[in-house]
Amino acid sequence: MRRARPGAPPRGTASRALTSVGPGADLDRNPLPADTAAQEPVTTAKEEFPQSKLWHITLSVSGTETPLGEVRRGLEQLAHDHPFLLTSRYANDHAEIRYWEEARDLHDAAAVALRLWGEHRSSAQLPPWEIVGLEVIDRETYHLRIAEGYGPPPAAPVGVHPY
């Protein structure tokens, strides 16, 4: 990155003068030994990395009619390629995929979910459908919904199933 004042000639076309910045008014060049002993040691703060969370993803796709056998085979291959897939439901013109994703925040989880179908379309030979729905909720919200009787039931029948 080039740092220069606006209108300055490009680097190497003119001689550059180095300048120094004077010390601040509170700098004491000759501290007394008592002053140095009274100062607290300098500590560096440890960089904390954001912790990942589990997100429950429901991805809905839809498109032109495709033979059920091809849809099922593609979703089974997707489940093999993406081992965290919980369950898939499908018909000849739409499907719903549910799985858990580990991500730093909702934005990251949604971004990964939105790429899932497209990235696996050719390797799993999935139908050329479009994503028509996406739900991303955190683990606590998912379990709260289940406990209150709202939302989809837990994905007990793991695997690929017709509607």
Side-chain angles (χ1 to χ4, degrees):
M1 179 163 96
R2 183 176 161 241
R3 294 182 186 200
R5 67 182 184 275
R11 188 180 286 183
T13 61
S15 63
R16 296 186 332 199
L18 297 177
T19 60
S20 62
V21 177
D26 59 345
L27 178 67
D28 185 4
R29 290 189 180 263
N30 299 314
L32 299 173
D35 291 344
T36 57
Q39 292 178 354
E40 293 192 22
V42 176
T43 58
T44 57
K46 292 183 181 178
E47 186 177 340
E48 292 186 25
F49 295 102
Q51 292 200 359
S52 295
K53 290 175 59 175
L54 280 177
W55 300 89
H56 186 264
I57 309 289
T58 303
L59 184 69
S60 301
V61 293
S62 180
T64 59
E65 289 191 15
T66 303
L68 287 176
E70 289 182 28
V71 176
R72 180 178 182 87
R73 187 210 38 74
L75 290 172
E76 286 174 345
Q77 183 62 45
L78 178 62
H80 181 270
D81 293 348
H82 196 276
F84 299 107
L85 196 72
L86 289 177
T87 186
S88 296
R89 299 186 304 167
Y90 65 94
N92 61 352
D93 64 345
H94 65 281
E96 178 184 88
I97 302 163
R98 295 173 53 205
Y99 67 97
W100 289 99
E101 183 69 58
E102 184 176 1
R104 179 176 47 95
D105 58 20
L106 181 133
H107 299 289
D108 289 349
V112 171
L114 289 170
R115 290 192 311 262
L116 178 73
W117 189 262
E119 288 181 354
H120 290 275
R121 184 176 290 157
S122 59
S123 65
Q125 298 177 352
L126 296 167
W129 294 345
E130 294 182 10
I131 297 172
V132 295
L134 173 65
E135 180 185 55
V136 181
I137 57 175
D138 65 355
R139 186 176 181 182
E140 293 79 22
T141 303
Y142 174 81
H143 288 296
L144 181 64
R145 281 186 181 179
I146 299 304
E148 292 177 349
Y150 299 108
V158 174
V160 177
H161 306 282
Y163 272 104

